[in-house]
Amino acid sequence: MKLTEHFKLEEFTHSTTASRLKINNSVPTDLMPNIQLTAIKLEFVRKALGQPIIITSGYRCPALNARVGGVSTSAHTKGLAVDFHSSFGSPKQICQRLIDAGVQFDKLIQEHNQWVHIGFSPTYNRQQVLTAVKQGGKTIYLNGLV
Ligand SMILES: [Zn+2]
């Protein structure tokens, strides 16, 4: 199902973990407006990068979120966040470009130099920028791009 010019619903629900564990990761009807909003916001991300983005994790139903170790309040469970990468460049370069281009987001996280997490709010986008790093086996979040 096509949501916007470049994004399909399947890109938000696809999960190798869900497939492997036979978890039904389809989006509940009441969360579809959030998914639609995220797809619209991601068009701006794509435009700022001038490159396609590859979503590695979009919507996560509570069962899937628990299995991948996400916090229970994760914006992924509301359909308001995606993890992605892009041939544009490294996660840090992607984040910097989105900031420079004035792209709206609630939370932007450069995750372990491996992927970018971007979350949106239907009401107020805080433009919060964080960098996730491992410290003593635990993930901690530093302010800004590190
Ligand atoms: Zn994420």
Side-chain angles (χ1 to χ4, degrees):
M1 181 183 142
K2 194 170 165 166
L3 299 170
T4 60
E5 189 183 353
H6 299 104
F7 296 99
K8 295 194 291 275
L9 178 61
E10 292 70 26
E11 293 174 76
F12 291 83
T13 55
H14 171 76
S15 159
T16 46
T17 307
S19 309
R20 183 165 51 82
L21 299 170
K22 305 208 183 336
I23 292 170
N24 177 2
N25 193 45
S26 48
V27 179
T29 314
D30 62 321
L31 291 182
M32 277 307 292
N34 286 354
I35 297 281
Q36 186 70 49
L37 173 90
T38 300
I40 291 166
K41 297 284 191 187
L42 286 178
E43 289 288 351
F44 292 101
V45 171
R46 191 184 193 280
K47 199 170 175 206
L49 299 176
Q51 298 281 341
I53 69 170
I54 295 100
I55 299 173
T56 53
S57 183
Y59 172 67
R60 296 179 197 153
C61 67
L64 173 61
N65 189 59
R67 285 308 294 250
V68 299
V71 289
S72 61
T73 54
S74 167
H76 285 278
T77 63
K78 301 178 186 82
L80 289 171
V82 300
D83 297 337
F84 73 95
H85 56 82
S86 168
S87 58
F88 174 84
S90 71
K92 191 174 177 180
Q93 289 171 323
I94 291 169
C95 289
Q96 190 61 61
R97 173 70 189 138
L98 299 184
I99 294 163
D100 293 345
V103 170
Q104 261 193 23
F105 51 80
D106 185 50
K107 200 184 266 193
L108 182 69
I109 312 176
Q110 192 273 88
E111 303 246 21
H112 312 283
N113 256 318
Q114 289 173 39
W115 73 89
V116 177
H117 166 105
I118 192 165
F120 305 101
S121 166
T123 50
Y124 179 72
N125 286 288
R126 295 172 290 170
Q127 302 295 120
Q128 186 180 22
V129 180
L130 300 170
T131 298
V133 292
K134 284 262 193 245
Q135 204 169 77
K138 281 192 76 173
T139 295
I140 60 161
Y141 295 92
L142 307 172
N143 276 320
L145 284 181
V146 179

